[in-house]
Amino acid sequence: MTETLPAPPLPTPAAGPTDWVLCTACDAMVYAKRLRRGAGVCPECGHHGPLTAPERLAGLLDEGSVRLLPIEHVDGDPLGFVDSRPYPDRLRDARRRTGLQEAVLCARGRIDGHPVVVAAMDFGFLGGSLGAAVGEAITRACEVAEAEHTPLLLVSASGGARMQEGVVALMQMAKTSQALRRLDEAGVLTISLVTDPTYGGVAASFATLCDVIVAEPGARLGFAGPRVIAQTIGETLPEGFQTAEYLLEHGIVDLIVPRAELRGALSRLLAVAGGQACLTDESPEVVVRDPAALPERHPWDAVRAARRFGRPTTLDYAHLLLEDFTELHGDRMAADCAAMVCGLGRLAGTPVVLVGTQKGRTPGELARRNYGMPTPAGYRKAARVLRLAGKLGLPVVSLVDTSGAFPGVAAEEQGQAVAIAENLRLLSGLPVPVVAVVTGEGGSGGALALAVADVVLMCADAVYSVITPEGCASILWKDAGCAPRAAEALRVDARSLLGLGVVDGVVPETEHGDHLAAAEALGAALLTSLLPLSRMDSASRIERRHARFRAFGAPTPGANP
């Protein structure tokens, strides 16, 4: 049993000269009470100043919900380390100054009523360094989260491994990493909140191994510090190097959230992870499954309709259909592809994972999002979020509207073919229900990389093909002007594809520009498709998915060889 404790109070600033404090970022004089009301965020420049571990718990967890974990801190000085002072003296001084036993504080609590286990680090205790006691506390928090199947939130603030404990501190990186692996196997959501600064052994272990990485604005994260890097390689580092904003652009963090909005952002993530499926039979059947029920049209007309500017995008559908939608960013390797959208939300109350291509709605956005053509980073981001769906047992909704994967030189250098192939394999064995919908263009392997699904649907004005009509015409007729003829030969329209069995159903289109009606139709189609899939066990569902794609091109049973 653990004692229920009130949320730790924020420290009260001393009177007199400390009524005013100096912002370390902009040098502005700020009234201390105003700074406290803003949770340590400078009202002049927005700099997010450091918080203690008790302040973190007080700011993140519901009042009255905090229960500190009873973690025994065993003092150790494995090396008998002495620099200008013996290591035990430094420990005693840190405890006296901070009131903490170690550089991390662990607790159970709730965020907007959602249960969570939290481990919050304190940079004021020996630079938040990772030693044996910190590693033990983090590992213990992981074990409690695993035993209680409760999401884990790790709040990092560290200069790295604790030098005074030598290789014993180094071993804590492995110890905490394997604890997080067990949470992966148990299907428990893990969230990392990166605060400034987070470096070294913490950055290279539990701070970056979580399912979702959230960073405060300006927070720095890296393995080696900028001074060490600059001295080692003798180069001028890029502006903003290792800051949260730089890392978001380079695909390392999922979200940058200001301190005032952290509780809301974390609550949305926890709501999805802790939600229960509530699919019902009440959704109307809107999907057309008989090709004869669809009007005949020239396939080129379908191509033009699919490309028509102003059709709903993946993000339009996300915001119209999903509650508590949180977009996730980055491939955790090098980049965040804006042509690929991934995130978590709830469809009619049921938690789902969304992946989809995003073209954009303005000329500027079209260019920024690469006209909906994903790079390898986009497919790797999708793969990362698909694996998260498998871990948490969440159904996947995939929305496809792309002329194909980006064909540039950089994409080839970064392994475009490999990224697509990996997604095909991943989706073929994903243990959760997968429904894919071609909402506009479905171009080649770039589209198929999101459409290896249990159920494949397409909108009535959408098209799906091995190549664009223009590309086919250029290759076979040496004239891109023969695109209408190629579209007819390729049979890219919904009626033809439903007849071929490539898609399982067609979602009727609404009046062009009526995004709400389009979302309602798509939402009904998704719910009626997901319901029977949710009632199947994983093995049967995967075998059914395998058989679906195995049948394409296979001999008809009983046919002559």
Side-chain angles (χ1 to χ4, degrees), residues 231-507:
Q231 291 175 348
T232 301
I233 65 176
E235 293 182 7
T236 301
L237 300 178
E239 184 177 355
F241 182 66
Q242 293 184 327
T243 62
E245 293 74 15
Y246 184 92
L247 295 169
L248 181 68
E249 180 184 350
H250 288 81
I252 306 303
V253 304
D254 287 287
L255 303 164
I256 298 176
V257 182
R259 194 169 289 168
E261 301 171 17
L262 274 173
R263 276 177 52 87
L266 295 172
S267 175
R268 287 190 294 274
L269 290 168
L270 294 171
V272 174
Q276 298 295 320
C278 50
L279 297 169
T280 69
D281 292 308
E282 297 176 1
S283 298
E285 175 61 85
V286 300
V287 177
V288 178
R289 305 188 187 278
D290 180 5
L294 296 171
E296 293 190 32
R297 65 193 302 192
H298 195 286
W300 182 244
D301 292 333
V303 172
R304 296 174 63 189
R307 294 173 176 173
R308 188 163 45 179
F309 195 69
R311 292 176 66 83
T313 67
T314 292
L315 281 175
D316 290 330
Y317 284 123
H319 294 303
L320 289 169
L321 284 175
L322 303 183
E323 306 164 68
D324 295 324
F325 176 69
T326 300
E327 185 178 355
L328 304 180
H329 294 271
D331 65 350
R332 296 278 175 90
M333 292 176 62
D336 178 46
C337 174
M340 186 73 75
V341 168
C342 304
L344 307 172
R346 289 184 291 136
L347 175 65
T350 296
V352 298
V353 162
L354 174 72
V355 298
T357 53
Q358 177 75 10
K359 285 185 175 179
R361 299 185 59 186
T362 66
E365 188 185 6
L366 282 166
R368 183 172 67 84
R369 295 190 183 273
N370 222 21
Y371 297 87
M373 295 183 289
T375 63
Y379 291 109
R380 290 177 180 130
K381 173 170 65 172
R384 179 173 73 84
V385 179
L386 289 170
R387 284 191 288 269
L388 177 59
K391 169 183 171 175
L392 299 179
L394 303 181
V396 171
V397 171
S398 174
L399 304 183
V400 180
D401 183 14
T402 179
S403 59
F406 184 64
V409 173
E412 293 300 319
E413 291 175 342
Q414 295 160 13
Q416 185 71 286
V418 176
I420 291 171
E422 291 286 358
N423 274 30
L424 298 176
R425 180 170 60 181
L426 173 63
L427 278 167
S428 69
L430 204 65
V432 295
V434 182
V435 176
V437 186
V438 181
T439 61
E441 286 188 276
S444 191
L448 183 62
L450 297 182
V452 179
D454 301 300
V455 174
V456 181
L457 307 175
M458 67 186 299
C459 293
D461 287 341
V463 293
Y464 196 7
S465 178
V466 68
I467 191 172
T468 63
E470 292 88 347
C472 177
S474 296
I475 293 171
L476 298 183
W477 288 284
K478 314 301 181 187
D479 181 3
C482 292
R485 180 180 173 187
E488 184 175 17
L490 289 167
R491 299 176 65 184
V492 300
D493 60 295
R495 190 175 195 270
S496 297
L497 293 166
L498 184 58
L500 289 169
V502 172
V503 299
D504 303 297
V506 176
V507 183

Side-chain angles (χ1 to χ4, degrees), residues 51-76:
L51 294 179
T52 66
E55 287 172 335
R56 286 288 176 189
L57 295 182
L60 292 174
L61 299 178
D62 296 347
E63 186 176 358
S65 73
V66 181
R67 292 183 297 156
L68 298 178
L69 297 184
I71 298 173
E72 182 180 359
H73 296 288
V74 179
D75 286 343

Side-chain angles (χ1 to χ4, degrees), residues 169-192:
L170 183 68
M171 293 302 107
Q172 305 310 308
M173 295 172 62
K175 176 176 176 175
T176 55
S177 297
Q178 69 180 14
L180 280 165
R181 177 188 59 79
R182 290 175 62 100
L183 288 175
D184 288 339
E185 294 171 351
V188 175
L189 176 69
T190 56
I191 303 172
S192 172

